[in-house]
Amino acid sequence: MSLHTAEILWTRGDQPFIDKRYSRRHLIRFDGGIEVAGSSSPHVVPLPYSAADAVDPEEAFVAALAACHMLTFLQLAALKRLVVDRYEDAAEGELVRKADGRMYIARVTLRPSVRFGGEGAPTAAELTALHHAAHEQCFIANSVLTEVRCEPRLSTE
């Protein structure tokens, strides 16, 4: 249906490497041209080898889920002719260790707060139903079990 891209760029420069004393700061470039500073999480790799002022993959995952839910919710609200004045979410993801030792985001909790304007707001039951429908239709929530393929290439530059 459509292709979405992101470029990731990290360079070592003159840092040591095999002793693991290198910066995890990198650049994330999206297809619209915006560039965002990325890093490993300081919860995973201690400072100064990670960057607290950059987006880590775990945060980006939580943000993608929260943003997709919001965008889907706004669309559904508009279709129901409900006027949304403000939408905010304090989403969080919990990184835990599996029995085999691998880490994963076990749970993402969305906490959307919506202010309605116009002729009226939905009832609590209607609001719950709207959020349920948004979750069911959210592309990213539906992708959490996505196959991740890796097709490595050796650079000669």
Side-chain angles (χ1 to χ4, degrees), residues 1 4 39 45 52-53 87 96 107 118 130-131 134-135 139 147:
M1 186 165 135
H4 304 271
S39 176
V45 176
D53 63 344
Y87 182 109
V96 300
R107 181 176 308 102
L130 268 171
H131 279 294
H135 177 70
F139 303 153
E147 171 190 7

Side-chain angles (χ1 to χ4, degrees), residues 35-87:
E35 295 181 348
V36 176
S39 176
S40 57
S41 169
H43 300 289
V44 177
V45 176
L47 299 170
Y49 305 112
S50 62
D53 63 344
V55 177
D56 63 61
E58 297 83 3
E59 291 170 325
F61 181 75
V62 171
L65 284 162
C68 185
H69 182 90
M70 178 199 68
L71 293 168
T72 307
F73 179 91
L74 294 175
Q75 173 67 14
L76 295 173
L79 289 172
K80 291 198 172 285
R81 307 192 58 71
L82 295 167
V83 177
V84 176
D85 284 343
R86 183 176 173 88
Y87 182 109

Side-chain angles (χ1 to χ4, degrees), residues 127-149:
L127 180 63
T128 298
L130 268 171
H131 279 294
H132 178 76
H135 177 70
E136 291 296 312
Q137 294 178 38
C138 171
F139 303 153
I140 305 302
N142 287 323
S143 301
V144 172
L145 297 177
T146 298
E147 171 190 7
V148 177
R149 294 185 290 174

Side-chain angles (χ1 to χ4, degrees), residues 87-153:
Y87 182 109
E88 59 183 285
D89 193 344
E92 66 182 21
E94 186 179 350
L95 184 68
V96 300
R97 190 174 306 279
K98 292 183 186 184
D100 66 5
R102 294 183 297 158
M103 302 289 285
Y104 76 113
I105 301 287
R107 181 176 308 102
V108 172
T109 303
L110 306 180
R111 294 187 179 90
S113 175
V114 185
R115 184 178 349 145
F116 292 89
E119 296 297 314
T123 66
E126 291 168 333
L127 180 63
T128 298
L130 268 171
H131 279 294
H132 178 76
H135 177 70
E136 291 296 312
Q137 294 178 38
C138 171
F139 303 153
I140 305 302
N142 287 323
S143 301
V144 172
L145 297 177
T146 298
E147 171 190 7
V148 177
R149 294 185 290 174
C150 182
E151 299 172 350
R153 301 171 293 159

Side-chain angles (χ1 to χ4, degrees), residues 23-47:
S23 174
R24 274 52 167 199
R25 181 178 283 278
H26 56 276
L27 179 72
I28 306 168
R29 184 179 299 129
F30 295 96
D31 59 4
I34 191 168
E35 295 181 348
V36 176
S39 176
S40 57
S41 169
H43 300 289
V44 177
V45 176
L47 299 170

